[in-house]
Amino acid sequence: MKKENLRPIFWEKEGLKLLDQRQIPGKKEWFTAKNSEDAIFAIKEMVVRGAPAIAITGLFGAVLEFKKFSKKPDYQEFQTILSNILGSRPTAVNLRRAFEELSSIFPKEEYDNVSLSELQQKSEKFAIHVFEEDIRNNLELAKNGVGLFPSSPSKLKIITHCNTGALATAGHGTALGVIRSLKDAGHDLTVYADETRPYLQGARLTAWELMEEGIENYLITDSMAGWLMSSQKIDAVIVGVDRVAANGDSANKIGTYPLAVLAKHHGIPFYIAATEKSFDFKITDGSQIPIEMRTQDEVTRLNFLKNEKGEAILSEGVIAPVGVKALNPSFDVTPANLIKAFITEKGIIPPDKIKEFFG
């Protein structure tokens, strides 16, 4: 596959076309969302995932809902549509920020003067703007990330977690976007991708993207990172993020926190790649970030998928006793003191300086 085809989201006349990430790497299939219910399903069941891609999907889901109306919904119904989509994934801040910006386009005191066509056209224009902005920001972020490494081509070994590439965004990616740009700058890369249990985004998605890009990579189980850091010269750990609190505490896919602890112990710089949309100055620290708890089946089985009715369509690979209880927090919080810096479209920012850039 050519690099330009690594794009998971297309806005078309038929609806919002999403690369179904549940099916990768086995096959490449597309899911078309034709209304807000489809968009909510796609977000909740991880047809689409990654904070930027979730926000974009949510926005277009709202646009699809508005396009169904022959009469403009009242303001309460307008807000209900947004809140229903917002409830699909609570941890990532991008979706909430996107809907706050959308609401600001249609303030309550002016809403009665807005026509249905204006609601439809302006919301669609805003969703397209967010989509295009995400690609631009990812490219600028990646350019800044490349500057952290030697300017001349070098051999680099990098560990990453979960999936933060084109599949998690509108295109190019955040942490994986930095890696992609390092390759384009001529560096000889070896990337170690954590499998990211239990949903295996690293195994299914990141390894797939790296192979498509021709970047040498090794898949490791989440428990192998300590051995790898102690036995190999690792140049950096680069991950993405779903929400950053005002003090720099950062929520990302479960398994990120212990990776940061290990990196600190071994003197390896731990970077978080994130656009401004991921910073939430409404909360003071990581204890205020809601952590999504997902189904136990993701832990006790492999390849667990659901259809639009919530019914199991694939449930293979039982790996635990029947009836065992399982915990499945989808995210953990990495304290700011374990983070070397944030790689952003505005520059490289130490945790104690983020308010100066974005506050």
Side-chain angles (χ1 to χ4, degrees), residues 6 28 67 83 85 114 136 168 175 195-196 221 324 331 341:
L6 278 176
K28 184 178 177 182
K67 286 181 176 289
S83 63
I85 300 173
V114 176
R136 291 194 301 271
E195 63 178 349
T196 321
T221 68
V324 68
F331 302 88

Side-chain angles (χ1 to χ4, degrees), residues 51-52 55 92-99 241-243 275 277-278:
V93 73
N94 301 58
L95 181 58
R96 193 201 75 201
R97 289 190 62 170
F99 278 5
V241 76
D242 284 79
R243 186 180 299 206
T275 67
K277 303 287 187 181
S278 295

Side-chain angles (χ1 to χ4, degrees), residues 152-318:
S152 57
S154 308
K155 288 184 177 293
L156 298 174
K157 294 183 177 181
I158 296 172
I159 297 176
T160 192
H161 188 69
C162 196
N163 175 262
T164 57
L167 295 174
T169 63
H172 198 71
T174 54
L176 209 55
V178 174
I179 290 168
R180 180 176 281 115
S181 291
L182 282 167
K183 182 209 173 191
D184 292 342
H187 293 284
D188 182 5
L189 296 173
T190 301
V191 178
Y192 300 93
D194 282 347
E195 63 178 349
T196 321
R197 276 277 290 155
Y199 211 75
L200 302 175
Q201 295 97 322
R204 295 187 300 105
L205 306 178
T206 296
W208 181 78
E209 282 204 49
L210 289 168
M211 291 183 71
E212 292 292 322
E213 292 288 340
I215 297 174
E216 183 179 41
N217 68 96
Y218 292 90
L219 180 65
I220 61 172
T221 68
D222 296 355
S223 57
M224 293 178 182
W227 170 85
L228 188 63
M229 291 180 187
S230 65
S231 63
Q232 302 281 329
K233 181 186 180 302
I234 302 299
D235 294 281
V237 178
I238 311 176
V239 302
V241 76
D242 284 79
R243 186 180 299 206
V244 182
N247 72 335
D249 292 350
S250 300
N252 191 48
K253 187 57 58 186
I254 192 74
T256 302
Y257 173 36
L259 193 61
V261 172
L262 286 166
K264 185 78 169 182
H265 176 75
H266 290 91
I268 298 168
F270 182 90
Y271 297 112
I272 289 180
T275 67
E276 181 181 1
K277 303 287 187 181
S278 295
F279 291 81
D280 186 1
F281 294 104
K282 292 184 178 181
I283 57 174
T284 57
D285 58 54
S287 67
Q288 297 174 308
I289 300 176
I291 300 299
E292 175 188 357
M293 297 295 292
R294 294 185 60 81
T295 175
Q296 298 180 60
D297 295 286
E298 291 177 358
V299 177
T300 60
R301 297 175 182 269
L302 296 176
N303 298 329
F304 187 86
L305 301 177
K306 296 178 183 177
N307 64 15
E308 288 81 351
K309 297 180 181 179
E311 301 165 335
I313 56 176
L314 178 63
S315 186
E316 298 178 347
V318 177

